[in-house]
Amino acid sequence: FSAAISACEKGGKWEMAVNLFDSMAQKTVESDIVTFNAAISACEKGGEWELALQLLSRMVQSSVELDMIAYSAAISACEKGGKWEIALQLFGVMDKAGVRPERITFNAAISACGKGCEWEQSLKLRSMMLQRNVQPGTITFSSAINACAQCSKWEKTAQFLGVMAQDGVEINTNTCNAAVSTCEKAGEWEMALELFGDLAQKEVARNTITFNAAISACEKRAEWRKALRLLSLLAQNELQFDRVTFNATISACEKNREWQNALVLFSVMGHLKVVAGAISFNSAIGACAQAGEWEM
């Protein structure tokens, strides 16, 4: 049974894994820690936090000692289900029970903090990792940065990127996207562009999301020239344009009455088969209206 449940878990078939687990009881086959962990992990992959907690409870009832794998999978299931409070409660129970959390446990708990905008708690968890000689990895920092991003704590996201560089932890595109996007949402366009530039120096791949965040940062401060340069750089990198790319750039032009550039960009959208939305039309029309080019 353990091998079959584990195979279902790895294949993402959580329902089949749980059915197999339940059939063990019907056939009076005793469940052990391996089968429980496989079933809870299957629930975790499916985001079935309630089932994961039920299985955790059954472990206690069956006098099967809960280990790091069981707790970590249950915490991750709660995180994926958006139940960050329960995830953090489980982490506390685990700690009091004397079960040593590993990096995977901390990562899940920190990620749960992000869902609940509990950025201060995510910082405490990272500090706890260091105190217990658990080395933070890329996922750890990404989860912490996302937690700070949810709360618009752009200073903290920038600091985390600096710590990652100092500690030699790999910085990936998703991590940087969250950091640049946080600065953009906070109106910190200069920091957003600084982080964007650092990516190239660190040879971290930039994607459309990275460019969109940087262009949107420029748009918020009406830095239309910088927005156009970024648009040109996006094309040089042979990345995909989307509606967000054009909307932000056209809006930047509108704020500076650059109606001709706005109309050129609007036209390019059509040539590239990027479907224009209400924001696209409004920005283009607004640019013409501000410049007195009502006939356009």
Side-chain angles (χ1 to χ4, degrees):
F1 277 98
S2 296
I5 293 172
S6 183
C8 293
E9 177 258 321
K10 288 180 172 61
K13 304 291 184 181
W14 68 268
E15 290 174 307
M16 191 177 292
V18 172
N19 288 336
L20 278 171
F21 183 86
D22 288 337
S23 69
M24 289 178 66
Q26 295 171 6
K27 296 180 179 179
T28 64
V29 178
E30 188 175 348
S31 302
D32 59 13
I33 193 167
V34 176
T35 50
F36 268 112
N37 285 348
I40 294 172
S41 294
C43 293
E44 177 266 325
K45 285 185 170 57
E48 295 293 325
W49 64 275
E50 291 176 303
L51 277 174
L53 293 183
Q54 287 174 20
L55 288 169
L56 213 62
S57 178
R58 285 169 66 175
M59 284 184 77
V60 175
Q61 293 169 9
S62 302
S63 299
V64 177
E65 188 176 354
L66 280 67
D67 64 359
M68 185 276 297
I69 296 173
Y71 275 114
S72 297
I75 290 170
S76 184
C78 292
E79 178 268 323
K80 288 181 179 175
K83 299 297 177 179
W84 63 271
E85 304 101 321
I86 299 175
L88 294 182
Q89 286 171 11
L90 272 177
F91 187 90
V93 170
M94 176 185 183
D95 197 39
K96 288 179 181 178
V99 180
R100 186 178 187 273
E102 298 291 340
R103 183 192 291 178
I104 187 173
T105 324
F106 279 105
N107 289 350
I110 291 172
S111 184
C113 291
K115 299 284 175 66
C117 199
E118 292 289 325
W119 66 274
E120 290 177 313
Q121 187 63 38
S122 72
L123 299 186
K124 289 178 182 177
L125 286 168
R126 180 184 169 272
S127 296
M128 190 187 294
M129 290 182 76
L130 298 175
Q131 291 169 6
R132 301 190 180 189
N133 295 319
V134 179
Q135 188 62 38
T138 301
I139 294 175
T140 314
F141 279 101
S142 295
S143 298
I145 286 172
N146 283 325
C148 294
Q150 292 295 323
C151 311
S152 300
K153 297 296 178 181
W154 65 271
E155 304 100 324
K156 294 295 180 184
T157 61
Q159 286 174 16
F160 271 132
L161 285 180
V163 173
M164 289 180 77
Q166 289 173 11
D167 293 353
V169 179
E170 181 187 358
I171 300 174
N172 61 27
T173 304
N174 291 335
T175 307
C176 287
N177 284 352
V180 175
S181 181
T182 305
C183 293
E184 175 261 318
K185 288 181 173 64
E188 296 293 331
W189 68 274
E190 290 176 313
M191 178 56 73
L193 294 187
E194 184 178 327
L195 291 176
F196 181 87
D198 286 345
L199 292 181
Q201 295 178 6
K202 294 171 182 173
E203 298 183 349
V204 178
R206 297 175 292 192
N207 59 18
T208 302
I209 296 173
T210 326
F211 275 91
N212 285 351
I215 292 171
S216 294
C218 294
E219 180 269 332
K220 281 184 169 58
R221 292 301 296 266
E223 293 287 337
W224 66 276
R225 289 187 178 87
K226 287 183 173 64
L228 288 177
R229 287 195 204 104
L230 287 168
L231 191 73
S232 176
L233 187 58
L234 189 151
Q236 291 172 27
N237 281 265
E238 299 181 348
L239 293 172
Q240 188 73 39
F241 295 90
D242 63 15
R243 188 187 295 177
V244 175
T245 316
F246 282 104
N247 284 353
T249 315
I250 292 172
S251 180
C253 292
E254 177 208 352
K255 289 180 178 179
N256 284 274
R257 299 187 178 185
E258 290 291 324
W259 65 273
Q260 291 174 316
N261 282 318
L263 291 184
V264 168
L265 290 169
F266 190 82
S267 176
V268 171
M269 284 185 78
H271 289 304
L272 295 177
K273 297 182 179 179
V274 177
V275 180
I279 295 175
S280 318
F281 280 102
N282 288 341
S283 294
I285 293 169
C288 293
Q290 288 187 34
E293 296 293 331
W294 60 271
E295 292 181 341
M296 297 303 294

